[in-house]
Amino acid sequence: MSRPAEAAVNPSRPVAGPGSAMALPVSEGILDIPGGLALHHGGRLDEVRVAWRLEGPSDAPVVVALGGISAHRRIYSLSSARDGWWPELAGPGLPLDASRFRLLGFDYLGGSGQTTGPGAADTAFPPVSSYDQAVILEKLCDALGIARLHAIVGASYGGMVALAFAERYAGRVGRILVISAAHRTNPLATAWRCVEREAVRFGMSHGDGAGGLRLARALAMATYRTRQEFEQRFDGPAEITGTRAVFPVERYLLARGEDYARRYAPGGFMCLSESIDLHRITPESVAVPATLVAVTEDQLVTVDEMRELEGRLAGPRRLYEIHSLFGHDAFLKERGQLAPVFAQALDGDPR
């Protein structure tokens, strides 16, 4: 597919990965979408820029990798695990093999990356849908000359985007792999996220958006993981300091919140957290072959929801159910369990 003249991609340069044996072609850039973007929930953005990264052999099938709301265009990094959001699963020789596939990632619309969003000032931003993320992915594929994706691999929010893309642009993707994401969100998960967003609003109203985000992320971590993991790791005694007790799990959660608040913008968190709860697709309209993964211990996306999605999809589908101490975060940790699923989903017969 030729590149449309109006969808200019800022010049990008090939980047060699560290170490000659593992070096792979890399390009990245900013796509300016002409004419802005009308959003699914009624808002409009007059100017939209999308930051993207494409890595792997130039003649290999293209696979889009999308993660949770903290994910970004750098899927993996050979130099530092912290630079890539999926170091356990993506990279040369790993289940999402960058030496066999060209891996495409982009910063989410409305997030904390270089794609259009609230920005450092956390200015007001209209509600964003998983369909809007699908639209900018489709425009990005057009601009990069990618007529058809081999697959979209999406986990958590990324799985929602994969489903939205498969519904809207069935002819543009061969298969999807969806981990811990369903066709809608459940009210209990929304309840937790509403409290998280209210903590950020409270902080912002008092001139401390980062402090609010610290608390929101601490609460979110408690929903991502499992009771069993917390019992194993944090069942020690509290430390009494002055007039209060400090619990081991408290130290862990607040440390994770502090780290997150240093790296992400409160407004971006608010926008994408809300986007999760606005997510709704019509499973009966998704005919693209789908591999689904449910985690039995997941508190946010339950096995029952994943089974309902599997039962309602229109196309060929297969549901895997795995157990994990890490709950909703299993997609970041469970290489051993997910490797054969990736192999089947990416290389097996999609029919």
Side-chain angles (χ1 to χ4, degrees), residues 239-308:
E239 178 182 342
I240 307 298
T241 58
T243 59
R244 62 160 294 186
V246 180
F247 297 87
V249 71
E250 178 181 2
R251 291 187 185 279
Y252 167 76
L253 291 176
L254 293 179
R256 298 286 68 73
E258 192 73 43
D259 179 64
Y260 190 86
R262 283 195 295 266
R263 295 182 291 125
Y264 294 91
F269 172 86
M270 293 273 286
C271 180
L272 295 183
S273 170
E274 180 183 73
S275 186
I276 292 174
D277 291 321
L278 290 170
H279 171 72
R280 297 287 189 279
I281 64 107
T282 305
E284 292 82 1
S285 298
V286 178
V288 172
T291 301
L292 310 176
V293 181
V295 181
T296 56
E297 293 81 6
D298 192 337
Q299 301 182 87
L300 293 174
V301 183
T302 67
V303 171
D304 286 343
E305 290 173 88
M306 297 299 292
R307 289 172 179 168
E308 180 185 349

Side-chain angles (χ1 to χ4, degrees), residues 9 12 18 35 58 65 77 120 126 208-209 225 241 245 247 257 307 311 323 332 345 350:
V9 177
S12 60
S58 58
S77 171
D208 188 14
R225 300 300 181 86
T241 58
F247 297 87
R307 289 172 179 168
H323 291 277
L332 296 169

Side-chain angles (χ1 to χ4, degrees), residues 21 32 34 49 54 68 94 101 126 151 196 207 213 239 250 257 296 327:
D32 293 301
R49 311 184 79 200
L54 184 61
L94 294 179
F101 300 108
E196 294 163 19
L213 183 56
E239 178 182 342
E250 178 181 2
T296 56

Side-chain angles (χ1 to χ4, degrees), residues 117-134:
D122 293 318
T123 53
F125 203 78
V128 169
S129 166
S130 51
Y131 287 121
D132 298 322
Q133 309 290 1

